[in-house]
């Protein structure tokens, strides 16, 4: 009675997307927990930073498009994955902290997944293409911004290497595919690959965005890395 | 014609809840205003911090569950109470600042009231039990987080004693009562008592949550208390 | 068939309001970009600060009154104007930074436009008069608060001269006109003029709001202007 094959494909795709989303959540939660442990927060603070770093981008996106309650507080798996990542870091920090390269790779994967998923959700809610691209980028970078604001630091994304631009590029691919009527699955994959590739290239080649020339000295806070 | 007794009880309960809610608002506003005076904000800044510390938790909760406009800007009493607390601190700071113990007790009472009320409101809006417990905690601690972020400090709740855990426990009691179908009034009272008791015990016994062992030195910002 | 004259007037008014709104957006974006360049953010960070400083007040207002998606992400002109201001500052900072007085005048104009427009939108969405006045003020000052929080600074509006009070006064005029049933156009003009005049007088006469007397020394962060 049902077209079993396409149902299977749809179910498989849905499972894939959920899996990727949870992997992205886990990786971003690792970054939040690591930052919390470094600043010597207690275990509750570390878990809060895990959840905030992993879910803030999606929560703000959902608030902006009117999708309340946000997915992060209507699907328990996001909380579970965030807490697991936080506990892992809290109890295994001395061992995990040397794994800088794997974390950067996973973080790039999380960024790629989130920017694509964020743009798609914004399109589903009827936002204009340019706004969907912005919200895709916001979904990718929002968690890191919230993490840094809670730690009273200028968000790294505002002064680090090519990071938000990679997210914007990935989201833009999804949006252009939508505008041109191309199939959404392959375009999502292309967007994620572009974002991930840009991010990895930026790390490997030490790409930086330009800074404005200013005649005055940088302020103290800027110099000591805050 | 009307069942007068139960109406009276319901009205009395409603009045009680509103009174407790406003007392909690007042106490949290005191904490915000005190922090503002200490940082030498002007009178407007002090009043803003009063309002933010007292109402941010509830406002964010209402945004997340889609209850717009939030109660804090649809019922004028929350503004009035916040401003009164702010003015009291602004003009009587030299006298009030020695009252550390009473403020801690009132703050614990505010926390207890807010976590219970926040969990109940989230349940009314149909959130899952685990999300309602989280939102109850958020209602209790959100104001303090916003206060500290505005003052460019790492939120105290992320590194202080047992505070958010007490709020989570109180909210969890309300949620468990809801799941088990127990009457909401007594469960709310039990949750508030548990939260308040935990908080008072944590202060008296100097309970702290564990911090992760890290081989490296704490960062400068962590050491000087920011 | 149509009452051509009043239509023309309405269209002209609408164009006027949109123009003023975009001018306000541009000016606030200049302030955000300038702060970002001073802190040596990269070009992406500077553009983010432009957008945030210009649009956060309106976005938060729209979230609070339930007007999702907010205007800033449903009308592309706000993004365009913000980005143009950010690029101008980024590439012309050495020349622009001496223009302190013009910027202050434009900033005052932006404040006047935003507080009036914010109060009107809140009234349209059915908020109580006192809440509409608050939201008008929030629309005017919210962008600057978000800009400073992202830069890890205590928001200037909490400790600077008469700024938020001017916005509150302008918004209050709009709200009082609404309550008294007066025509909205002239009242909006009066509110904007009052806000702008108060702000200019505060700058010229170096008006400050009072600070509470505290027996203790100000904290270090307060003294060095953070």
């Amino acid at each position: 009675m049902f077209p079993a094959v396409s149902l299977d494909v749809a179910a498989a795709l849905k499972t894939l997307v959920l899996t990727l989303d949870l992997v992205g959540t886990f990786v971003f939660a690792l970054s939040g927990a690591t930052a919390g442990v470094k600043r010597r927060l207690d275990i509750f603070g570390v878990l809060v930073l895990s959840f905030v770093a992993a879910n803030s981008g999606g929560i703000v996106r959902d608030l902006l498009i009117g999708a309340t309650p946000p997915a992060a507080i209507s699907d328990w798996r996001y909380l579970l994955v965030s807490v697991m990542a936080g506990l892992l870091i809290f109890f295994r920090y001395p061992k995990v902290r040397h794994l800088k390269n794997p974390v950067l790779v996973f973080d790039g994967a999380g960024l790629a997944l989130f920017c694509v998923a964020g743009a798609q959700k914004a399109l589903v809610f009827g936002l204009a293409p340019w706004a969907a691209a912005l919200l895709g980028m916001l979904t990718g970078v929002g968690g890191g911004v919230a993490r840094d604001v809670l730690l009273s630091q200028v968000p790294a994304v505002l002064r680090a290497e090519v990071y938000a631009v990679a997210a914007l590029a990935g989201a833009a691919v999804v949006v252009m595919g939508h505008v041109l009527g191309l199939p959404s699955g392959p375009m999502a994959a292309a967007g994620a690959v572009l974002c991930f590739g840009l991010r990895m290239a930026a790390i490997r080649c030490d790409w930086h965005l330009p800074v404005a020339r200013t005649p005055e000295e940088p302020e103290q806070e800027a110099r000591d890395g805050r």
Side-chain angles (χ1 to χ4, degrees), chain A:
Chain A
M1 239 168 83
F2 288 104
V5 174
S6 75
L7 259 189
D8 278 5
V9 169
L13 258 181
K14 208 175 156 187
T15 307
L16 178 69
V17 166
L18 181 64
T19 307
L20 295 176
D21 210 22
L22 290 174
V23 170
T25 301
F26 186 78
V27 175
F28 279 150
L30 290 180
S31 85
T34 304
V37 167
K38 274 188 184 165
R39 292 292 285 270
R40 302 196 60 74
L41 303 187
D42 64 29
I43 187 168
F44 171 77
V46 169
L47 294 182
V48 167
L49 272 194
S50 305
F51 185 79
V52 163
N55 297 286
S56 294
I59 288 175
V60 172
R61 176 204 60 210
D62 288 351
L63 288 181
L64 289 173
I65 64 180
T68 53
I73 60 169
S74 47
D75 184 336
W76 55 270
R77 283 173 289 207
Y78 294 96
L79 175 66
L80 179 69
V81 164
S82 305
V83 166
M84 278 169 43
L87 292 176
L88 176 68
I89 294 292
F90 188 81
F91 289 109
R92 290 284 172 270
Y93 179 69
K95 286 174 189 158
V96 175
R97 73 196 179 92
H98 301 295
L99 305 175
K100 194 174 180 189
N101 279 348
V103 168
L104 278 178
V105 171
F106 282 127
D107 183 76
L111 185 70
L113 299 171
F114 275 24
C115 72
V116 165
Q120 283 184 319
K121 186 159 186 181
L123 288 172
V124 168
F125 273 76
L127 269 82
W130 64 271
L134 272 194
L135 285 175
M137 182 185 77
L138 174 68
T139 308
V141 309
V145 170
R147 174 198 66 203
D148 293 347
V149 166
L150 279 184
L151 291 174
S152 196
Q153 291 171 336
V154 177
V157 70
L158 298 182
R159 61 161 110 239
E161 325 91 276
V162 175
Y163 190 89
V165 171
L168 185 58
V173 168
V174 171
V175 170
M176 283 192 304
H178 176 81
V179 170
L180 300 174
L182 301 175
S184 67
M187 293 311 286
V193 166
L194 176 62
C195 171
F196 183 74
L198 276 176
R199 179 72 189 123
M200 289 302 110
I203 293 173
R204 178 172 294 269
C205 310
D206 205 26
W207 285 344
H208 287 273
L209 291 177
V211 172
R213 280 167 306 140
T214 55
E216 59 212 41
E217 280 293 293
E219 297 177 19
Q220 179 63 32
E221 294 88 342
R223 223 179 304 139
D224 59 30
R226 291 199 50 235

